[in-house]
Amino acid sequence: MSFRFNKQSIEDCEQGVRNKILKTAKNVKMLEEISDAVIKDIQLNARRGKNPETQERFKPLSKKWITLRDRLQATNTVTDVFKPNRSNLSLTGQLIDSIKSKFNAFKITFYFDGIHNPYKLKNIYKNKMSTIGKPIKNEELAKYVQDVRPFFVIRKSLLPKLKVLVLKYIRKNL
Amino acid sequence: MANNEGLTITEDKIEQKIKLSEIIGKDISDNETLVMKIGQEIVDYMKERIENGRGLNDIKLETPYSKEYSKSIDFIAAGKSRGHVNMRLTGDMVDSIDVIDTSGDEILIGITDGSQTAKAYGHQTGFKGHPFLDGKHKRPFFGVSKSEIKENIISKYQDDINETINLGTKTSAKTVKKAISTIRKFKTVQDLFIEDDNEL
């Protein structure tokens, strides 16, 4: 998902003001700080089990999946916010931890890096390890998850923080 | 309530007015860009100090966080620890601290997110006026004393200050103030950044 600085928002400004803002908008350090703030916010809300915009809890897990997750915690490194019945996209954290960003002048692109590995499961009858699921690109997995539990959202209430970041760089580059 | 550090702490307003001539002993109001830079430096200093668990007058904030809070999903999800009191969960409160305005050699700083002022008031005053929390868990994180500004910030700008006084440097921040005002008026994230699916 890519975002570009909205030059139309400053269309009506006088030239000097537009230049000041555009100079800031292409500052790579500023874009990096903004993208870090967005990623951290998305990750925090996912771990809390909430839609960042509405703050509604994610759709609950099925009973079958809860039972399986209870077994999975014995054979997988689970996150510190994991509970078998907690719907917060944080069993091993592979998806949420894979969110990255890249940027150049005026533009930030968020993406999901790498592969989500299957979960390990011990077959209690055969005393063997097997896996649940197949390796899948985090980018693909994110699309499925987003449909059911919308977690990749830049909430409106983040705006004051983002504005303060932009203003900091306007002042720093006086 | 205002005091000799220029603080205004109410449920609707968390601000501080700083008059640089009271700290520097000289008037640098003609150098508007320098005043603005110092204002930003004060905000940055305050945020770093808060992150280090310290509040107004560089006094350590009450530690630790309560056991009850430390067991909450919010606390764990944010990766917090009981002994590191930094006034931050989502960061909405502390990250909204900014320079509100500069005028002459006066700098007004404060919490710019209206949804955060009541929360900040609670922390700053220990929930003063609350029926049963009044005075408990007071963490005066906001504000910077004159001595803090003198020791930690003015020294960095001493050369610029001397140049302003000795050479009579004048700068105008009119264009910058207009740029700041433009950004402040943005009402949505889309005013700042719009979706763009073209490849980087």
Side-chain angles (χ1 to χ4, degrees), chain B residues 3-197:
Chain B
N3 54 31
N4 65 354
E5 299 286 8
L7 282 163
T8 300
I9 308 290
T10 68
E11 286 183 48
D12 305 310
K13 205 187 265 189
I14 307 289
E15 290 177 359
Q16 184 179 11
K17 195 175 268 187
I18 297 157
K19 193 157 172 60
L20 290 178
S21 55
E22 289 176 4
I23 301 166
I24 300 168
K26 300 228 164 75
D27 181 9
I28 59 164
S29 53
D30 278 347
N31 193 339
E32 289 184 346
T33 53
L34 179 58
V35 171
M36 206 173 262
K37 278 185 183 175
I38 292 174
Q40 184 62 55
E41 194 75 42
I42 291 172
V43 164
D44 291 347
Y45 164 80
M46 195 195 322
K47 287 180 179 179
E48 192 180 329
R49 188 197 66 200
I50 294 168
E51 180 57 34
N52 292 331
R54 306 187 81 84
L56 178 60
N57 285 309
D58 201 25
I59 291 172
K60 191 175 176 190
L61 295 168
E62 185 194 290
T63 312
Y65 286 121
S66 69
K67 266 189 193 163
E68 197 185 323
Y69 180 40
S70 73
K71 288 178 183 164
S72 70
I73 177 66
D74 285 354
F75 192 93
I76 301 167
K80 293 183 71 62
S81 64
R82 282 192 73 200
H84 181 202
V85 172
N86 63 354
M87 310 310 296
R88 171 182 290 276
L89 185 78
T90 60
D92 287 355
M93 184 178 69
V94 172
D95 289 345
S96 79
I97 296 173
D98 197 23
V99 177
I100 294 171
D101 196 14
T102 56
S103 174
D105 77 334
E106 273 187 0
I107 301 167
L108 180 66
I109 61 175
I111 286 191
T112 57
D113 184 347
S115 71
Q116 301 297 311
T117 49
K119 190 202 304 178
Y121 173 82
H123 287 303
Q124 191 81 5
T125 64
F127 297 89
K128 190 173 175 177
H130 193 280
F132 52 86
L133 288 174
D134 191 356
K136 287 185 182 173
H137 306 305
K138 189 172 172 179
R139 291 189 173 112
F141 68 97
F142 178 84
V144 191
S145 66
K146 289 189 179 90
S147 57
E148 285 181 90
I149 295 172
K150 197 164 186 176
E151 282 161 33
N152 298 286
I153 292 149
I154 298 301
S155 51
K156 286 185 191 175
Y157 289 92
Q158 201 56 60
D159 288 347
D160 294 309
I161 291 168
N162 291 342
E163 195 180 287
T164 301
I165 294 161
N166 297 334
L167 301 180
T169 309
K170 283 183 187 188
T171 62
S172 168
K174 199 169 148 187
T175 305
V176 176
K177 281 190 173 188
K178 282 185 183 177
I180 288 171
S181 171
T182 301
I183 299 291
R184 282 237 160 88
K185 284 181 189 149
F186 288 170
K187 289 194 168 65
T188 66
V189 174
Q190 289 72 27
D191 287 336
L192 257 180
F193 289 96
I194 47 169
E195 274 198 58
D196 176 5
D197 288 330

Side-chain angles (χ1 to χ4, degrees), chain A residues 1-4 34-43 45 50-55 99 101 108-110 146 150-162, chain B residues 188-196:
Chain A
M1 200 186 277
S2 297
F3 294 87
R4 182 181 286 282
I34 285 180
S35 65
D36 279 352
V38 169
I39 290 172
K40 281 195 172 104
D41 194 69
I42 288 170
Q43 288 173 331
N45 280 291
K50 292 181 178 181
N51 177 313
E53 186 64 63
T54 64
Q55 288 293 291
I99 306 175
S101 64
I108 301 171
T109 296
F110 297 100
Q146 180 77 359
F151 69 100
F152 198 94
V153 176
I154 302 176
R155 59 182 167 100
K156 187 179 176 182
S157 50
L158 205 58
L159 182 62
K161 186 188 296 203
L162 301 183
Chain B
T188 66
V189 174
Q190 289 72 27
D191 287 336
L192 257 180
F193 289 96
I194 47 169
E195 274 198 58
D196 176 5

